[in-house]
Amino acid sequence: MGKYEGDPVWDDVVPIPQDDGEGALAAIAYTDEYAEAMGYLRAVMAAKEYSPRVLDLTEHIISMNAAHYTVWLYRASTLLALNSSIPVELEWVNNVALDNQKNYQIWHHRQILIDHLYDSMSSDPAALKSLAESEVAFMTEMFNEDSKNYHVWSYRQWVVRKLDLFDKGEIECIETLLRQDVRNNSAWSHRFFVVFSNPKYCTPGSKATEYDPKIPGEILDREIEFAKAATFEAPQNQSPWNYLRGVLKKGGRKLSSLECFAGEFVKIPEVGEEDIKSSHALDFLADVWAQKGENEKADKALTLLGDKYDRIRKNYWDWRRTSLK
Amino acid sequence: MAVQELSLDVALHIKYWHRCLKNVLPTGYTSMDSSRMTLGFFILSALDLLGAGAETFPEDERANIKDWILKCQHPDGGFCGSPNHKYPDAAYVDVGHGKQTMDPANLPATYFAIMGLSFVGSLDGVRRDDCLRWIKGLQREDGSFGEFITQDGVIQGGTDMRISYAAMAIRWILKGDYDSSKEDGADIDVDQLVKYIRSGQTYDGGIGESSRHEAHAGYTYCAIASLKLANRLSKSKDSEPISGLTNVDSTIRWLVSRQTGYTTESDEEEEGDAEHAPAVKLQGIYTEEPAHEDEEFVGFNGRCNKRADTCYAFWVGAAINMLCQEKVELLDIPAIRRFLFEQTQHRIGGFGKCPGDPPDIYHSYLALAALATMKEPDLKPLDAALCVSIQQKEKIEQVRKAALV
Ligand SMILES: [Zn+2]
C-alpha cells in the first residue's frame, strides 16, 4: 500500500493517475512512490485545494522532480493562501537549492517569497538591511559550491535591484570572489552590471553595449585600473580584457587610449623574435591599429595570432585579416 | 598521435537511439519527467539525422506516437510537457471564464511536441489557431515570452531567449516567416521581440538572459535563431523593419572565443588546481603564457573560462553557421570532430557531457546536431535555426503550404 493510500489524512482524495498510453515517448521507470504522489498532486491541483497537507505533498514531489514547472507555483499559491511563515519556507528552500544546483524554478520561487516579505517590511530599513544580509549570506554559501552558478547570479542581480544594493559592499563581495579566482567571468559580469547600472549615476535604460555620458570619469578610471591589475595577474585570462573593452565603450573612450598598456604584453621588434605575453593583448592591439589605419601592423598582429599564439582560432584570425582595408 | 580517418559509427548510434526509443528510461530521468516531450523530440530527430527516422517505423508505431503526443495537447491551446501534466478530457470543466486550466500548457514543450508530430505524421491534429492565440497571450509588453499562463491570465516562467526561440520556431512552423502582425490580430509582435533580442547583447559581445547577465552560448544561439526564423537576422538596407544583432562583429568574436583547447593532461591539472585556484593578489606577476602548441582537441565552453562541454559544440557551431552562412568557415572543425569522437563519444553509442561521462539523451542529440551542422558525411545536413535536418524542415514547409491552401 502506498504512502498516501494508507494515510487517513488523504482518505477523501481520489488520485488522478497518469495515462501514458501505448505510444509513450521517453517513458521513465517511475518509482511507485513518485507515481502515487503525482496522482495525488494532480487531484489536489484539479480541486484547487490550498491546505497544509498540500505543502507536504508538494515538498515530496519537489524532492523527486524539482523541475516540475507548475508544482512550485502551486506551492507558492498555497503558502500565500495559508499565510504561512515566509522565513520558515526560506529555510527549507535554502536546503533544496543546495541539493539542486541546476534547478532554476527554485530561484523564481524565492523571488515570490522575497517580494512578499519586502512588501511587509518596506517601511522598516533595519528589517530590509537584515534581509539583504541574509540573502547575501545564503548566496555566498551557494557560491562556495559553484561560484559560476548562472541561476544564483541571475537571482543576485534581481536582489541587487530589488533591495538597492548598488553599494560598496556589493563591489567588495565581487572582489573577494575575484581574489579567489580571477577567471570567474560570472563575477566580472556582475561587476559590470553593478557599476554600470547604478541608478545613482547611470542613464536609466542605457544598454550594456552603449556609451553612457553620465558615468563619472573617476568611476571609469577606477574600473580600468582594476581590470588592468587583473591582466597583469593572469595575462591569458580573457575576462578582464573583455571588461576593458566594455568599460571603454561605456565611457566613450577610444581603444587606443590603452595602446601603451596593451603594449606591455606585446613586444614586436623590427628584427628578431617577438615577445608575446598575452594573445588577448595582441588581439586588442590589432583592433587599435586597424582603427588607426595602421593596417600593416594590424595584419602582423593577426598573422602572429593565427600562426603562433592562438592557433585554434587560425581561421578566425585569417578572416579578420581579409577584412582589413 | 597517428592520423586516422575518423568516421561516425552510424549503426552503433542507431542502436543507442533505438534503446532510448524502445526501452523505459532509468529512474534517474524522473527529474526530467516534465520534459518528456523534449526527450521524445531528441529521440525522433536523432534517428532522422542518422537515416533511421520514423518513416522506417511500422505504421502502427508511428500512429501510437502521434496519439501520445496529441493526448498532451491542452484544451486552451499548446501542449503539456508530459502526460503527468495533462488531465483526462472530462476534467477540463468550464469555470465561467474558459475551461479550467489546472496544469497549463508549456511553451518549450509545445515546440517539441509539434516538431515530434512532424516526424510521425502530419500536423493536422494541432489546433493551429488556438495554439497561435495562446502563444500571443504569452508575449509580454517588453517583447519577451513566458513559459505558461495561469487561469487568471498571469504570464509565468522565465524571460530568457530560450522561450522566445520556442515561440518563434512554433510561429515559423505554423505560419512561416511572413510578418503578418500588421493585418492579423492573432500574430505576435515581431518588432517588439526583435527589439528585446537586440537589447540582450552583453558588453563582451555575447547574449545573456538579458544584457545585464553573463553572456551564455545557449542564449546566444536562441537569440540568433529567433531572428533567423523571423527572417530578421540580416540587416536590411532601410531601417524598417529593425533587423540583425546590435554588433555582429563582437558576437562573432565572442562565439569563436568559446573554442577551448583541450589536452588530456591539462584536464587532470584543471581538476586539481584551476577549479579551486588558491587565493591570489591582483599584482604584476605574469603567471602564464599563450599556447604555442597545436591543441590535440578543441572543445567548446558555454561561457568565458568554463570547461568544454559537448552541447556547446552545437550552440556555438550553429550560431556561427547562421551568422556566416556558407561564406567562411571560422571554426577548427577537424579538432572539434576529434574532441567529440575521441573524448565525449561513448563506446555504447551516444555522447556524454564531458570526457568520461556516460551518454545522455540531451548531449547525444546535440553532438549529432553539431556534427551535422559541420556537414558530417554520414548524417543528414542540419538546418541550424530549426535544429532538425534540412530535409525535415522542407517537409514541414510542404505541410504548412498544403494546410494554408
Ligand atoms: Zn552541456
Side-chain angles (χ1 to χ4, degrees):
Chain A
M1 196 184 284
K3 173 178 157 77
Y4 296 94
E5 194 192 354
D7 185 344
V9 171
W10 291 94
D11 247 1
D12 57 318
V13 176
V14 180
I16 306 177
Q18 163 177 265
D19 174 16
D20 216 356
E22 274 183 67
L25 286 172
I28 297 167
Y30 302 128
T31 59
D32 291 343
E33 182 189 358
Y34 178 73
E36 194 206 16
M38 281 298 277
Y40 279 83
L41 176 73
R42 285 153 59 77
V44 297
M45 281 174 73
K48 288 196 184 320
E49 176 185 323
Y50 303 110
S51 66
R53 68 179 179 180
V54 166
L55 293 179
D56 296 336
L57 176 61
T58 52
E59 177 174 343
H60 188 204
I61 296 285
I62 286 166
S63 74
M64 296 177 282
N65 175 14
H68 188 296
Y69 54 83
T70 37
V71 74
W72 286 98
L73 212 57
Y74 196 71
R75 181 174 177 89
S77 306
T78 308
L79 284 164
L80 300 183
L82 295 176
N83 235 328
S84 296
S85 159
I86 303 285
V88 169
E89 178 72 0
L90 279 172
E91 198 60 41
W92 174 74
V93 168
N94 287 357
N95 290 321
V96 180
L98 285 164
D99 290 344
N100 292 272
Q101 297 279 331
K102 296 270 174 226
N103 182 282
Y104 75 96
Q105 278 98 346
I106 295 169
W107 299 95
H108 183 69
H109 184 67
R110 196 175 186 98
Q111 282 187 18
I112 295 175
L113 301 176
I114 298 295
D115 261 335
H116 200 72
L117 265 186
Y118 181 87
D119 291 343
S120 71
M121 54 173 69
S122 57
S123 54
D124 181 352
L128 283 176
K129 188 161 174 280
S130 92
L131 176 65
E133 280 164 7
S134 64
E135 285 306 282
V136 168
F138 175 62
M139 283 184 275
T140 304
E141 210 176 316
M142 287 297 293
F143 287 144
N144 287 339
E145 302 290 318
D146 174 8
S147 60
K148 298 176 180 179
N149 186 319
Y150 205 90
H151 308 310
V152 184
W153 282 108
S154 191
Y155 176 73
R156 180 144 192 144
Q157 279 208 10
W158 181 84
V159 169
V160 166
R161 282 182 289 152
K162 179 88 195 173
L163 303 178
D164 188 22
L165 301 181
F166 293 93
D167 53 12
K168 231 176 109 225
E170 187 66 8
I171 292 190
E172 281 164 7
C173 278
I174 300 161
E175 290 188 7
T176 305
L177 281 169
L178 287 177
R179 284 206 164 80
Q180 285 161 9
D181 176 11
V182 73
R183 291 173 187 76
N184 184 343
N185 194 61
S186 307
W188 283 100
S189 286
H190 189 67
R191 183 177 180 107
F192 196 88
F193 156 71
V194 173
V195 173
F196 295 110
S197 306
N198 189 332
K200 283 186 200 78
Y201 52 81
C202 297
T203 303
S206 171
K207 289 179 191 159
T209 51
E210 231 166 37
Y211 167 48
D212 182 355
K214 284 195 165 166
I215 308 289
E218 63 268 24
I219 288 192
L220 293 169
D221 293 339
R222 183 192 72 195
E223 292 309 299
I224 288 170
E225 288 312 313
F226 181 79
K228 273 182 176 178
T231 60
F232 283 116
E233 180 61 42
Q236 255 325 94
N237 173 15
Q238 196 177 18
S239 294
W241 290 101
N242 285 339
Y243 193 81
L244 282 171
R245 285 172 184 267
V247 175
L248 293 175
K249 192 89 177 267
K250 265 285 163 200
R253 296 187 184 178
K254 287 205 167 80
L255 282 187
S256 59
S257 64
L258 293 180
E259 182 177 354
C260 264
F261 154 73
E264 298 257 341
F265 304 90
V266 174
K267 303 288 177 235
I268 308 177
E270 297 278 330
V271 277
E273 181 103 20
E274 71 285 345
D275 179 19
I276 309 293
K277 298 284 185 212
S278 165
S279 66
H280 307 302
L282 202 49
D283 175 21
F284 189 94
L285 286 171
D287 278 340
V288 170
W289 292 330
Q291 279 176 14
K292 288 166 74 178
E294 297 172 14
N295 283 355
E296 218 169 290
K297 285 169 79 177
D299 190 70
K300 170 84 177 160
L302 294 171
T303 307
L304 281 172
L305 282 164
D307 290 350
K308 213 163 163 185
Y309 295 100
D310 192 32
R311 291 217 282 234
I312 62 173
R313 270 167 282 277
K314 179 170 172 48
N315 291 358
Y316 171 69
W317 303 119
D318 285 350
W319 175 73
R320 285 264 301 271
R321 286 179 65 202
T322 62
S323 56
L324 287 175
K325 281 188 197 87
Chain B
M1 66 176 291
V3 180
Q4 61 184 72
E5 205 52 55
L6 293 171
S7 67
L8 192 72
D9 187 342
V10 172
L12 179 77
H13 285 278
I14 290 177
K15 235 180 179 171
Y16 171 80
W17 287 104
H18 270 159
R19 276 199 300 273
C20 295
L21 177 71
K22 312 262 184 201
N23 297 2
V24 173
L25 299 171
T27 303
Y29 274 89
T30 300
S31 62
M32 294 194 74
D33 188 28
S34 300
S35 307
R36 282 178 59 193
M37 261 329 147
T38 313
L39 299 175
F41 161 78
F42 287 150
I43 295 168
L44 294 173
S45 191
L47 286 166
D48 173 51
L49 288 176
L50 288 160
E55 70 278 2
T56 66
F57 301 176
E59 198 180 326
D60 60 330
E61 189 178 348
R62 273 201 307 273
N64 285 341
I65 294 175
K66 182 179 172 185
D67 287 349
W68 181 83
I69 298 174
L70 283 174
K71 223 166 49 184
C72 290
Q73 189 164 210
H74 196 280
D76 292 341
F79 285 75
C80 302
S82 84
N84 254 331
H85 289 271
K86 176 70 186 349
Y87 286 73
D89 291 334
Y92 295 92
V93 289
D94 201 306
V95 286
H97 52 295
K99 285 188 172 166
Q100 187 178 345
T101 305
M102 287 175 296
D103 203 345
N106 177 285
L107 185 47
T110 302
Y111 159 66
F112 291 115
I114 293 175
M115 291 297 269
L117 283 171
S118 80
F119 286 107
V120 288
S122 62
L123 300 179
D124 51 16
V126 179
R127 290 200 317 280
R128 180 179 176 277
D129 295 348
D130 287 344
C131 186
L132 288 169
R133 207 175 306 120
W134 170 73
I135 289 175
K136 184 180 161 69
L138 284 169
Q139 190 171 24
R140 302 187 183 91
E141 237 168 78
D142 66 2
S144 72
F145 285 83
E147 274 171 87
F148 56 91
I149 189 159
T150 66
Q151 186 87 51
D152 317 318
V154 182
I155 300 170
Q156 288 286 356
T159 59
D160 63 68
M161 304 292 168
R162 288 173 304 181
I163 309 164
S164 303
Y165 168 72
M168 289 316 291
I170 296 165
R171 176 180 179 275
W172 184 88
I173 297 167
L174 298 180
K175 281 178 88 86
D177 60 14
Y178 168 61
D179 188 354
S180 55
S181 50
K182 301 292 180 287
E183 66 250 45
D184 180 351
D187 200 4
I188 62 157
D189 189 338
V190 178
D191 279 339
Q192 203 57 22
L193 176 67
V194 172
K195 268 189 216 159
Y196 180 77
I197 292 171
R198 284 168 55 90
S199 72
Q201 188 162 15
T202 57
Y203 68 89
D204 51 2
I207 291 156
E209 191 179 311
S210 83
S211 74
R212 298 179 306 266
H213 291 80
E214 185 179 12
H216 184 288
Y219 296 135
T220 306
Y221 165 85
C222 287
I224 293 169
S226 302
L227 292 175
K228 176 89 180 161
L229 292 167
N231 200 16
R232 296 283 193 99
L233 183 56
S234 43
K235 261 201 164 67
S236 50
K237 289 260 157 27
D238 31 40
S239 53
E240 270 282 313
I242 38 161
S243 300
L245 295 166
T246 313
N247 185 339
V248 185
D249 289 344
S250 69
T251 304
I252 290 178
R253 175 210 298 279
W254 186 87
L255 286 166
V256 296
S257 297
R258 303 284 56 77
Q259 288 178 102
T260 164
Y262 182 90
T263 43
T264 31
E265 299 83 41
S266 79
D267 179 49
E268 278 155 27
E269 241 171 69
E270 208 174 312
E271 299 260 330
D273 306 330
E275 292 287 312
H276 301 284
V280 288
K281 289 195 204 92
L282 299 180
Q283 59 186 16
I285 301 168
Y286 301 123
T287 53
E288 53 173 8
E289 307 267 318
H292 293 249
E293 305 288 305
D294 267 341
E295 307 277 359
E296 205 175 334
F297 310 109
V298 172
F300 287 86
N301 58 23
R303 293 182 263 157
C304 186
N305 290 331
K306 296 268 291 179
R307 293 186 67 183
D309 168 342
T310 295
C311 67
Y312 295 111
F314 173 75
W315 301 122
V316 176
I320 289 189
N321 179 281
M322 286 184 280
L323 288 179
C324 300
Q325 290 302 339
E326 309 298 314
K327 277 177 290 187
V328 56
E329 187 45 72
L330 296 182
L331 302 173
D332 186 354
I333 289 178
I336 297 161
R337 285 181 79 229
R338 276 198 297 275
F339 177 72
L340 295 174
F341 278 119
E342 294 179 357
Q343 295 293 309
T344 70
Q345 181 173 229
H346 200 274
R347 56 182 164 22
I348 64 158
F351 295 79
K353 173 184 162 78
C354 295
D357 286 352
D360 66 83
I361 289 179
Y362 171 81
H363 288 97
S364 297
Y365 181 70
L366 290 176
L368 289 183
L371 290 166
T373 315
M374 298 183 283
K375 306 212 166 29
E376 186 65 31
D378 297 313
L379 293 171
K380 291 185 189 175
L382 193 95
D383 180 78
L386 213 54
C387 194
V388 291
S389 66
I390 290 172
Q391 189 187 45
Q392 185 62 19
K393 182 194 176 185
E394 284 166 356
K395 190 174 141 194
I396 294 170
E397 268 175 318
Q398 281 162 11
V399 168
R400 182 209 309 136
K401 278 182 193 136
L404 292 179
V405 165

